[in-house]
Each structure stands twice: as structure tokens, then as C-alpha cells.
Amino acid sequence: GIGTAYNAPIVAGWSWFPQKKGAVNGVVLTGFGAGGFIFNMIGTKLINPEGFSSPFPPSVSESWPNMLRTLAAIYAAMSIARSLLIKT
């Protein structure tokens, strides 16, 4: 699962900062946790902007495809922007 996504940034960080492996682990895991926390709030606002509680009206489920497209566009834009920062 998600554990495979941890490997690349942790190994890259260890190669860049071999004396600070614990700090690299902390930064990477904090980034993964904070990303989930922030995008959970964004997704909730996109799918349920009025803050309805259960049982949800049909408008909430109807906004599902739009929320997925919006989040995908945000992820794509962030990935492209970050890929431009990579130096070889």
C-alpha cells in the first residue's frame, strides 16, 4: 500500500543527508500526514460546501465527480510544478 510511497523520498533524503536519517524520516512522514489532513479538508469542502450532516442530500453525491476532477487537477498542477524544481 502506501508504504511503498514512503521508500523513494526516504531513500533520497538519506542519500542527501546521511547524518540526519531520523530528521529525514520525520520530515517525510510529517509531509505524508499533513498532506492527507489538508486534502481531506479540501475534499470535504468541495463535496459538501454547505456542511450537511448525515443523511446527506443528493447534491452531495452529485458533486462527487466534480470533486475528483478538481483534486486530480490540483495534484497534477502540484506534481508538474514540483517536477520543474528537480535538478539532475
Side-chain angles (χ1 to χ4, degrees):
I2 191 69
T4 59
Y6 292 143
N7 289 337
I10 286 178
V11 171
W14 286 349
S15 67
W16 294 337
F17 305 103
Q19 302 300 322
K20 299 185 185 270
K21 289 184 178 182
V24 167
N25 284 345
V27 169
V28 169
L29 294 176
T30 299
F32 271 88
F37 177 73
I38 291 167
F39 280 99
N40 182 20
M41 291 190 302
I42 293 171
T44 300
K45 290 294 182 188
L46 290 171
I47 198 164
N48 188 8
E50 290 86 19
F52 294 119
S53 59
S54 185
F56 296 109
S59 64
V60 173
S61 61
E62 290 167 359
S63 62
W64 178 261
N66 187 42
M67 180 206 60
L68 290 179
R69 282 190 293 272
T70 303
L71 287 176
I74 292 170
Y75 293 147
M78 290 175 62
S79 297
I80 291 168
R82 290 178 182 159
S83 70
L84 297 174
L85 299 174
I86 296 174
K87 296 179 184 178
T88 57

